Structure formats: structure tokens, C-alpha cells
Amino acid sequence: MRAPLSWLREYVEVPASESGRDVAARLIAAGLEVETVEQTGAGLTGPLVVGRVLAIEELTGFKKPIRYCQVDVGRGPEDPQNIVCGATNFAVGDNVVVVLPGAVLPGGFEISARKTYGHVSEGMICSERELGMGEDHDGIMVLPPEAEVGADAIELLELVDEVLDIAVTPDRGYCLSMRGLARETATAYGVPLRDPALLDVATPNADGYTVRVAEPLGCDRFTARTVSGLRPGAVSPIWLKRRLQKAGMRPVSLPVDIANYVMLELGQPLHTYDRHRVQGPIGVRRAHGGEKLTTLDGVARVLDSEDLVITDERGPIGLAGVMGGAHTEIADGEDGGEAQRTTDVVIEAAHFDSVSVARTARRHKLSSEASRRFERGVDPEAAAAAAQRTVDLLVLLAGGTVEPGVTEIRTPSGPHTIRMAADHPDRVAGVGYGRETVVRRLQQVGCDVYGDVGPSALEGGERSTEGPEELTVTVPSWRPDLTDPNDLAEEVIRLEGYENLPATLPRPLPGRGLTERQRLHRRVGRALAGAGYVEALSYPFVGEAVFDQLGLEPGDARRRTVQLVNPLSDEEPGLRTTLLPGLLGALRRNDGRGSHDLALFETGLVFLPTGTETAAERLPVTQRPTDEQVAALDGALPEQPRHVAVVLAGARERSGWWGGGRTADWADAIEAARTVAAEAGAELTVENSQYVPWHPGRCAALHVEIDGSRTLAGHAGELHPRALKALGLPPRTCAMELDLDLVERAGAGALRAPHVSTFPVATQDVALVVDASVPAAEVESALRAGAGELLESLRLFDVFTGEQLGAGRKSLAYALRFRAFDRTLKAEEASTARDAAVAEAVERTGAVLRGA
């Protein structure tokens, strides 16, 4: 909603010193979203005057029409201004806007006298776009004959103003009008409101235009008024056009402009029919399936049986609350060679059901200014006032005659009443407003409040125990969004100021903090971040194309996805079964933008259909679902385990003065998996494997032990070159993906802080020669088992192969750290533990102690 500040000041006495930005700040504090404050006419300086064209000389010999004009700018016909102009839509005697030398137009365009087309042009005759009034640049702006020659055009055209552009949320439909915004502004400044809807409305009678409403649930108000004898050729005055333009609407014709103006002023959409084009009574009913209607935009539409339509004897003449039909539109031009201008109009001011209008607008993909307002809620009591306002303006500006008949059809309904505890806003906000403040704020909104609100309201916001604690609140007709006590509490809180709410942290009840699963997810995220990884969150949507790029076989279980009924993109209609596509996409985008050393991680759900899911039942919204219905919905869901994944590319350790760097490799991906397992207190077993999309020779299967049996939890290593090429990824990109739920089940439960010994550590190194096919993890497991309780940690620090070891042999060097919690170890104890570890490795893996 675009609201000119000059228009807003007509209804609210905003202090003269307040700028548009000051008003915007007040409205934002009251909960409205003011997007911009536009300065119209910014940089415009005079002189700009009204001129009258005295003579026109057509210049020839040029590629386009050029005219040399003499214009009276207020100095008299004997001293005209000579101006060269290329437009042809004006004639001698017309009033135009003249910019004299020395003026500056919007955009910093300075005007000076200069020679052009063989003549000296002393200024410029302007179009609307050159004045910053709109985008019309087809011709010169011609002013009405009554405009005074020599008058200041800046003031006449209201070129300098401030316009507030407000994004109105769906629950604040009343703010799609100057009346609603004026009410909010008056409340924000604590000043009275001059309500434009307070008019002397004519009394309904039986002589009005015949209207039959066959669908009272879809149309509970319908007011019809008739005005005849409109002056042919009457045009909208400048002030009316300018307000429509500032509000973002294009002037069309006087009857249509007046209807749009009243809609912007009061928030009530209206429609004007050419009376001679309407045949018989006007009706409101549901459309018959297959009926056709050509709307004002020239589109022939096939109607649905749920559409609410306006009809006459021939059939539909408009989509109720959305757009009128072309057959009954106001005529303001040439038809068949003869001037056919509308002189008699029927004014429709009705209130339509918001849900019906919204569905019709979406069904026909036809959003209009009227439908936007009806969808968000229009004041049903404003219809009669809007019709009266339209009639008054037609009489004033077009010289029409009001016919005495007034039609008003109303479906009986009472005001909406809410019972609310007086301290309910206090409890919602955590602030002691007190009853007096609550009642005052609700009354400012327009509510009628009843209850004990006087003596029981104590100083300082405290409440007395005497008297009733409940308020009865009658909601105003223009606020259909106020339906329950929480809505009323929100009104009190926003008017008191969201910025005044204290910032307090919630206090969870005992035992209601984070679950062990949530704590694990946080620990994993912190651990990976501490290891140099950056979290990257991606959309959980995938398509078949990415599975082809990864190289998955047609029968791979990861290709079986849950398909979305209404996907965001037709290229990604399924839910992910692996985290890798999203992470690899993020890595590719960052690498393409120049960040080549990357380490990313993500934790999130994957969706694995089992084939046993049942069809989901569509539950009613009128009642709480039963336990059986909730269980049936759960049965329709796929398995949703939480995974953790990392991807790496480029340098893992950068080079510098400290030495050379190191490129990320498969071992870093495996180490990331170990980091995750350590946070869960689980032991990870690593062994060589083959699994798409990893490189066959550089892929590790990651196992955990659950209930005494080994369970595959994920894979890690370097990705296959074919997958890297298909995805456009850097060479030697590595990745790891792990089922975090399985790792949690294999863990030790809640982690305990380790006991730190005060006694020194004893370090023993050992190098074992084994066959090249023996995994280092198997050797490590044997060493741990043989070393016993004194072993504190074990680390592989060197791998060596060479001719002296023999073909197919490798040397693994480990650092073993021994420590006791109750004493300092003797050298004999550390050596004995070392020898036991070596003996166990020899027995299990056939290792030979190097150098023995």
C-alpha cells in the first residue's frame, strides 16, 4: 500500500515538523512493515509554470515532427516564450506545463535556453515522465482549461511529496486503505482521527436498483446506488489523478477513477456498471460449471461451479470481488464511429466472503486490487459509506444526478465478542501492563470493552483482588483478524512497543532441557568446526540427474526416493537419501568462486522409503486427531535417520614460513569420521571397501559395534574421478558420510569427563612389519587389546615400505602412551605392557617386530 503523506495529513494532525521517515518509524514501532519512503519530486527546482499555447509552427525537413511554439507563461500574449517541441498531442489554446531556463528536473536535468532545429528554445514543454509523475511519455501533459496561466505547476501538480510504501501482512487488511493507515497513525501519535467513513448515508428504500442475492454466505452485504446524467467528457481533476498516481494506480476515466479513489480511501472495493449495458436485475450466485465470462482484461474465462459471480438477465457480468466483465464496463471512447460515453452508472458496494474470493482469484490466476483487499478482510459496515462517497464525488465532479432509490441487502449478523482475562496480555508478554493500559489500548484499536476497569486498577500496573478479573471485548467490524484473546494481547503488546519488552531467557523445567540426541548433534557440530570444517546447510531435494552424476547403478537403493506432490523444482522432485549431493553442490559453487581450499560438513535427515508405508489419510481441521489417526500418519512416513557428512578439497594444511602444506586426502575423511565417533563415545572400525561414488582403491567402510555385532555405519575416502568430472568438482575431492543415529546407539551414552592423572606418562615406540594387505586398524586393535588398562593412547606416526622389507611388506610405527592413575610407572611395567601389546599383534596379524 502506497500512502502519500499529504493525503494522510487530511485525516490525522501529524505535526508539521514530522517527515515521512518520522511517520514510518512510528508505524514500524506499531508493527507495520514500511519498506521505503519515496521522495517524489526530489531534486526538482523551479521555475515550473502553467503555460497556454498561443501559436504553433510546423517545422519541415526533419525525420520526425518538430514544432516551434509560442507559449504564454504569465507575462501576457505580447511576450511569449519560444519553445521547440517534438510532441503533437496538443493544440493552440491548450494549457501545458512549461519548464523555464534555470529549472532542474528530477534526475538532475538542468534546463537552459539553447539553439536546436534552427531555432532558440527557451525552455521545455513537459510530459508526465519528465516531471516524475509516471511512465507516460507518449505525449505532452495537457492541463485542464481552468488552470491559471503562470501559476506554479509544482504546487498545482503536487509534485513534491513523500510516499510511504507499506507491505501489508495478510492479517492487517484494514491497512490497505488510507482510513486504516490513518487510524494507526493517529494511535501512534496520540491524536484524534478524522474518519472519512463518517458520512450522512442515505436511508435504504424499495425504489433502488433491483438486486437478488442467491448466495448469502458468499455475499452478506450488497449496496447499489444509481447516478444519471453524468457530464459527457468530464475528466478527473488534477488532485484526483495525482493521488491515484502516487498510490501506484493509473488514471482511466472519471467514474473508474472515483471508484478506485474511494477504494484507496475507505478500503471498500467498488464496481461501476454502465446502466444501459446491464439488462435486468443484478444477481449474486455461484457460477454454473462451463459458463464463460470475458473480464476487463480481455481474457475469456471458463467459470467453475465454486466461483461467485455477479449476473444480469444474460448471465455473468463479473467475478465477485475479483474483476468485472467487459460487457458492462464504463465506456469513455469511440465505438462504431460515434461517441458512446457512459452517462448513467450503477454503483456496486458489496462484501464478499474472503475464502471464496481468494480461491476464485487463484483458480483463474487473476489477482486484482479488489481481490487483495477482500482476501485480507474488508469492513462489511463500510459498503454503504463507500457507495455514498462515490455518489457524492460523481455529483461534484461529473455533474450527475442522484436517483432517490437506495438498495441495501444485509444478512443479519451480530458483532464478534471475546472474553479475556484482564491480565492475559501481561502473562503473554511477561510485563505488568495493568487493566487500565489494556483497556485503553483496546479502545484505541476500536474495541468496546466492558468490565471492572476503574478502581481495581492500581498504580504501578498492580491488580486488585476485588472485582471481576474478566473483560468482555467487542471487536470492531474492520478487524476480522481479532478472533481470540491472544489476538487482543498482541494488539496491546504492539501498541505498547515491542522494543519495550524485556529480554529474558526461557527457563526449562527440570528434565526438559536438551535430549541426549540433541546434545550429541551439538557436540558433533562443535567438534567438526573445531577441526576446521564449515557447516553448510542445503535443501533436502534431489533429482535423478545427480544420481547419474554420482554413478549409482539403476538398482541402487539410494535411487528410491520419496516423491513430493508439489516440489519447488521439477528437476528435484524427491527427498534426499544421502547428504552428498547438497554438500558437493556447495563445494562446487565455492570452488567456482575462487575458494579452492574447502572443508564443509552438514548434519541432517535423509529419507529412506521402506516400501511398507501406508497412504496418508487427509484429516479434518475441525477436530483434534485421535491417537489412532496420528499413528496412521506416522506409518505413512519413511525412515528418517540423521546423517553427518563432510567433503574436502584443496589444501588441508597450508604452506608458509613454517614449512610446506599438505593436500586433503582420504585419511582426512576417515579422521573426520573418527572425530564424530569420539563425540558419541563409540569405537569405529575401518576397513578397505568398494562403494559408489568412492574410488575403489581409496574407500573405507566404517563399522560400529551394536549389541555385540558389527554394523555398517558409513563410508569415507576419495571420490571416483568419473563422479568428480560429472559433477564439475576439483581433483582428489574426498568425502565421508556416517549414520549418526547408528553411531549414537553404539556409543557409551552420556559422556563423562575423563579422569586426569597427576602422574607422568611413559612413552614406548614400536615398529611392526606386516603384509601390505593387513589393515593398520587391525594392527592397532591388537595392540590395544594386548597393552591392557595401562595404555592411555596409541597413534600411528609412520608407514614405511622399501626393498629392505621385501616385496608386499610394510612397516607400521606406533607411539604407545602408558600411565597409571595411582602411581608413577616403572620402566619395567611400561616395557612389560609394550611387550604384551606386541605379542598380541604378532599372534593376530603375523607381525614381526622390526629390528628384532
Side-chain angles (χ1 to χ4, degrees), residues 674-692:
R674 287 197 173 101
T675 300
V676 172
E679 293 299 321
E683 185 174 346
L684 206 62
T685 303
V686 181
E687 65 180 29
N688 189 26
S689 178
Q690 296 186 17
Y691 191 66
V692 178

PDB file of all heavy atoms in Angstrom, residues 674-692:
ATOM      1  N   ARG A 674      36.218 -40.504  12.644  1.00  0.00           N
ATOM      2  CA  ARG A 674      36.681 -40.832  13.994  1.00  0.00           C
ATOM      3  C   ARG A 674      36.337 -39.698  14.968  1.00  0.00           C
ATOM      4  O   ARG A 674      36.005 -39.947  16.130  1.00  0.00           O
ATOM      5  CB  ARG A 674      38.188 -41.080  13.978  1.00  0.00           C
ATOM      6  CG  ARG A 674      38.609 -42.401  13.343  1.00  0.00           C
ATOM      7  CD  ARG A 674      40.021 -42.755  13.741  1.00  0.00           C
ATOM      8  NE  ARG A 674      40.410 -44.076  13.285  1.00  0.00           N
ATOM      9  CZ  ARG A 674      41.160 -44.312  12.217  1.00  0.00           C
ATOM     10  NH1 ARG A 674      41.604 -43.286  11.500  1.00  0.00           N
ATOM     11  NH2 ARG A 674      41.467 -45.548  11.873  1.00  0.00           N
ATOM     12  N   THR A 675      36.433 -38.468  14.503  1.00  0.00           N
ATOM     13  CA  THR A 675      36.084 -37.328  15.361  1.00  0.00           C
ATOM     14  C   THR A 675      34.621 -37.406  15.776  1.00  0.00           C
ATOM     15  O   THR A 675      34.271 -37.169  16.943  1.00  0.00           O
ATOM     16  CB  THR A 675      36.344 -36.009  14.607  1.00  0.00           C
ATOM     17  OG1 THR A 675      37.732 -35.925  14.261  1.00  0.00           O
ATOM     18  CG2 THR A 675      35.953 -34.810  15.452  1.00  0.00           C
ATOM     19  N   VAL A 676      33.749 -37.744  14.827  1.00  0.00           N
ATOM     20  CA  VAL A 676      32.317 -37.874  15.135  1.00  0.00           C
ATOM     21  C   VAL A 676      32.092 -39.014  16.113  1.00  0.00           C
ATOM     22  O   VAL A 676      31.347 -38.882  17.102  1.00  0.00           O
ATOM     23  CB  VAL A 676      31.523 -38.099  13.832  1.00  0.00           C
ATOM     24  CG1 VAL A 676      30.063 -38.436  14.144  1.00  0.00           C
ATOM     25  CG2 VAL A 676      31.611 -36.867  12.940  1.00  0.00           C
ATOM     26  N   ALA A 677      32.720 -40.168  15.864  1.00  0.00           N
ATOM     27  CA  ALA A 677      32.529 -41.328  16.743  1.00  0.00           C
ATOM     28  C   ALA A 677      33.026 -41.037  18.149  1.00  0.00           C
ATOM     29  O   ALA A 677      32.411 -41.468  19.143  1.00  0.00           O
ATOM     30  CB  ALA A 677      33.245 -42.542  16.164  1.00  0.00           C
ATOM     31  N   ALA A 678      34.115 -40.292  18.262  1.00  0.00           N
ATOM     32  CA  ALA A 678      34.653 -39.982  19.590  1.00  0.00           C
ATOM     33  C   ALA A 678      33.678 -39.152  20.403  1.00  0.00           C
ATOM     34  O   ALA A 678      33.579 -39.313  21.628  1.00  0.00           O
ATOM     35  CB  ALA A 678      35.991 -39.243  19.438  1.00  0.00           C
ATOM     36  N   GLU A 679      32.921 -38.252  19.740  1.00  0.00           N
ATOM     37  CA  GLU A 679      31.948 -37.440  20.464  1.00  0.00           C
ATOM     38  C   GLU A 679      30.798 -38.284  20.994  1.00  0.00           C
ATOM     39  O   GLU A 679      30.148 -37.908  21.964  1.00  0.00           O
ATOM     40  CB  GLU A 679      31.404 -36.336  19.550  1.00  0.00           C
ATOM     41  CG  GLU A 679      32.428 -35.299  19.158  1.00  0.00           C
ATOM     42  CD  GLU A 679      32.980 -34.574  20.372  1.00  0.00           C
ATOM     43  OE1 GLU A 679      32.192 -34.289  21.294  1.00  0.00           O
ATOM     44  OE2 GLU A 679      34.196 -34.296  20.400  1.00  0.00           O
ATOM     45  N   ALA A 680      30.529 -39.414  20.350  1.00  0.00           N
ATOM     46  CA  ALA A 680      29.474 -40.314  20.825  1.00  0.00           C
ATOM     47  C   ALA A 680      30.004 -41.379  21.764  1.00  0.00           C
ATOM     48  O   ALA A 680      29.221 -42.171  22.305  1.00  0.00           O
ATOM     49  CB  ALA A 680      28.792 -40.980  19.632  1.00  0.00           C
ATOM     50  N   GLY A 681      31.313 -41.423  21.951  1.00  0.00           N
ATOM     51  CA  GLY A 681      31.887 -42.457  22.795  1.00  0.00           C
ATOM     52  C   GLY A 681      31.860 -43.813  22.133  1.00  0.00           C
ATOM     53  O   GLY A 681      31.828 -44.847  22.812  1.00  0.00           O
ATOM     54  N   ALA A 682      31.863 -43.835  20.793  1.00  0.00           N
ATOM     55  CA  ALA A 682      31.805 -45.098  20.053  1.00  0.00           C
ATOM     56  C   ALA A 682      33.166 -45.403  19.452  1.00  0.00           C
ATOM     57  O   ALA A 682      33.954 -44.503  19.164  1.00  0.00           O
ATOM     58  CB  ALA A 682      30.754 -45.024  18.946  1.00  0.00           C
ATOM     59  N   GLU A 683      33.432 -46.710  19.262  1.00  0.00           N
ATOM     60  CA  GLU A 683      34.681 -47.136  18.638  1.00  0.00           C
ATOM     61  C   GLU A 683      34.400 -47.476  17.187  1.00  0.00           C
ATOM     62  O   GLU A 683      33.486 -48.245  16.880  1.00  0.00           O
ATOM     63  CB  GLU A 683      35.265 -48.348  19.353  1.00  0.00           C
ATOM     64  CG  GLU A 683      36.628 -48.763  18.807  1.00  0.00           C
ATOM     65  CD  GLU A 683      37.266 -49.879  19.619  1.00  0.00           C
ATOM     66  OE1 GLU A 683      36.783 -50.141  20.732  1.00  0.00           O
ATOM     67  OE2 GLU A 683      38.243 -50.477  19.127  1.00  0.00           O
ATOM     68  N   LEU A 684      35.164 -46.871  16.279  1.00  0.00           N
ATOM     69  CA  LEU A 684      34.945 -47.034  14.856  1.00  0.00           C
ATOM     70  C   LEU A 684      35.965 -48.025  14.291  1.00  0.00           C
ATOM     71  O   LEU A 684      37.162 -47.923  14.570  1.00  0.00           O
ATOM     72  CB  LEU A 684      35.110 -45.671  14.160  1.00  0.00           C
ATOM     73  CG  LEU A 684      34.366 -45.446  12.849  1.00  0.00           C
ATOM     74  CD1 LEU A 684      32.868 -45.539  13.040  1.00  0.00           C
ATOM     75  CD2 LEU A 684      34.726 -44.069  12.292  1.00  0.00           C
ATOM     76  N   THR A 685      35.491 -48.990  13.537  1.00  0.00           N
ATOM     77  CA  THR A 685      36.356 -49.940  12.847  1.00  0.00           C
ATOM     78  C   THR A 685      36.400 -49.583  11.378  1.00  0.00           C
ATOM     79  O   THR A 685      35.357 -49.404  10.745  1.00  0.00           O
ATOM     80  CB  THR A 685      35.835 -51.377  13.022  1.00  0.00           C
ATOM     81  OG1 THR A 685      35.739 -51.670  14.425  1.00  0.00           O
ATOM     82  CG2 THR A 685      36.773 -52.367  12.357  1.00  0.00           C
ATOM     83  N   VAL A 686      37.604 -49.480  10.845  1.00  0.00           N
ATOM     84  CA  VAL A 686      37.807 -49.047   9.461  1.00  0.00           C
ATOM     85  C   VAL A 686      38.418 -50.194   8.678  1.00  0.00           C
ATOM     86  O   VAL A 686      39.384 -50.819   9.116  1.00  0.00           O
ATOM     87  CB  VAL A 686      38.737 -47.812   9.404  1.00  0.00           C
ATOM     88  CG1 VAL A 686      38.919 -47.356   7.965  1.00  0.00           C
ATOM     89  CG2 VAL A 686      38.192 -46.693  10.272  1.00  0.00           C
ATOM     90  N   GLU A 687      37.833 -50.473   7.503  1.00  0.00           N
ATOM     91  CA  GLU A 687      38.415 -51.500   6.641  1.00  0.00           C
ATOM     92  C   GLU A 687      38.208 -51.104   5.187  1.00  0.00           C
ATOM     93  O   GLU A 687      37.317 -50.328   4.848  1.00  0.00           O
ATOM     94  CB  GLU A 687      37.801 -52.862   6.910  1.00  0.00           C
ATOM     95  CG  GLU A 687      36.330 -52.976   6.575  1.00  0.00           C
ATOM     96  CD  GLU A 687      35.782 -54.361   6.861  1.00  0.00           C
ATOM     97  OE1 GLU A 687      36.307 -55.037   7.773  1.00  0.00           O
ATOM     98  OE2 GLU A 687      34.825 -54.755   6.175  1.00  0.00           O
ATOM     99  N   ASN A 688      39.070 -51.645   4.312  1.00  0.00           N
ATOM    100  CA  ASN A 688      39.014 -51.339   2.888  1.00  0.00           C
ATOM    101  C   ASN A 688      37.704 -51.837   2.291  1.00  0.00           C
ATOM    102  O   ASN A 688      37.175 -52.886   2.671  1.00  0.00           O
ATOM    103  CB  ASN A 688      40.207 -51.989   2.175  1.00  0.00           C
ATOM    104  CG  ASN A 688      40.304 -51.525   0.731  1.00  0.00           C
ATOM    105  OD1 ASN A 688      39.854 -50.441   0.398  1.00  0.00           O
ATOM    106  ND2 ASN A 688      40.904 -52.362  -0.111  1.00  0.00           N
ATOM    107  N   SER A 689      37.157 -51.052   1.335  1.00  0.00           N
ATOM    108  CA  SER A 689      35.859 -51.414   0.763  1.00  0.00           C
ATOM    109  C   SER A 689      35.737 -50.801  -0.620  1.00  0.00           C
ATOM    110  O   SER A 689      36.602 -50.041  -1.070  1.00  0.00           O
ATOM    111  CB  SER A 689      34.728 -50.921   1.668  1.00  0.00           C
ATOM    112  OG  SER A 689      33.469 -51.222   1.123  1.00  0.00           O
ATOM    113  N   GLN A 690      34.665 -51.142  -1.303  1.00  0.00           N
ATOM    114  CA  GLN A 690      34.292 -50.542  -2.588  1.00  0.00           C
ATOM    115  C   GLN A 690      32.832 -50.125  -2.512  1.00  0.00           C
ATOM    116  O   GLN A 690      31.962 -50.956  -2.239  1.00  0.00           O
ATOM    117  CB  GLN A 690      34.501 -51.530  -3.741  1.00  0.00           C
ATOM    118  CG  GLN A 690      35.945 -51.926  -3.967  1.00  0.00           C
ATOM    119  CD  GLN A 690      36.116 -52.788  -5.201  1.00  0.00           C
ATOM    120  OE1 GLN A 690      35.242 -52.845  -6.060  1.00  0.00           O
ATOM    121  NE2 GLN A 690      37.251 -53.472  -5.289  1.00  0.00           N
ATOM    122  N   TYR A 691      32.582 -48.831  -2.757  1.00  0.00           N
ATOM    123  CA  TYR A 691      31.218 -48.330  -2.646  1.00  0.00           C
ATOM    124  C   TYR A 691      31.115 -47.049  -3.471  1.00  0.00           C
ATOM    125  O   TYR A 691      31.903 -46.110  -3.287  1.00  0.00           O
ATOM    126  CB  TYR A 691      30.886 -48.047  -1.177  1.00  0.00           C
ATOM    127  CG  TYR A 691      29.421 -47.776  -0.897  1.00  0.00           C
ATOM    128  CD1 TYR A 691      28.482 -48.782  -1.067  1.00  0.00           C
ATOM    129  CD2 TYR A 691      28.995 -46.528  -0.462  1.00  0.00           C
ATOM    130  CE1 TYR A 691      27.131 -48.555  -0.793  1.00  0.00           C
ATOM    131  CE2 TYR A 691      27.659 -46.287  -0.183  1.00  0.00           C
ATOM    132  CZ  TYR A 691      26.732 -47.299  -0.355  1.00  0.00           C
ATOM    133  OH  TYR A 691      25.401 -47.072  -0.090  1.00  0.00           O
ATOM    134  N   VAL A 692      30.181 -47.021  -4.399  1.00  0.00           N
ATOM    135  CA  VAL A 692      29.954 -45.846  -5.242  1.00  0.00           C
ATOM    136  C   VAL A 692      29.385 -44.715  -4.378  1.00  0.00           C
ATOM    137  O   VAL A 692      28.529 -44.963  -3.513  1.00  0.00           O
ATOM    138  CB  VAL A 692      28.969 -46.209  -6.378  1.00  0.00           C
ATOM    139  CG1 VAL A 692      28.671 -44.988  -7.250  1.00  0.00           C
ATOM    140  CG2 VAL A 692      29.528 -47.358  -7.213  1.00  0.00           C
TER     141      VAL A 692
END
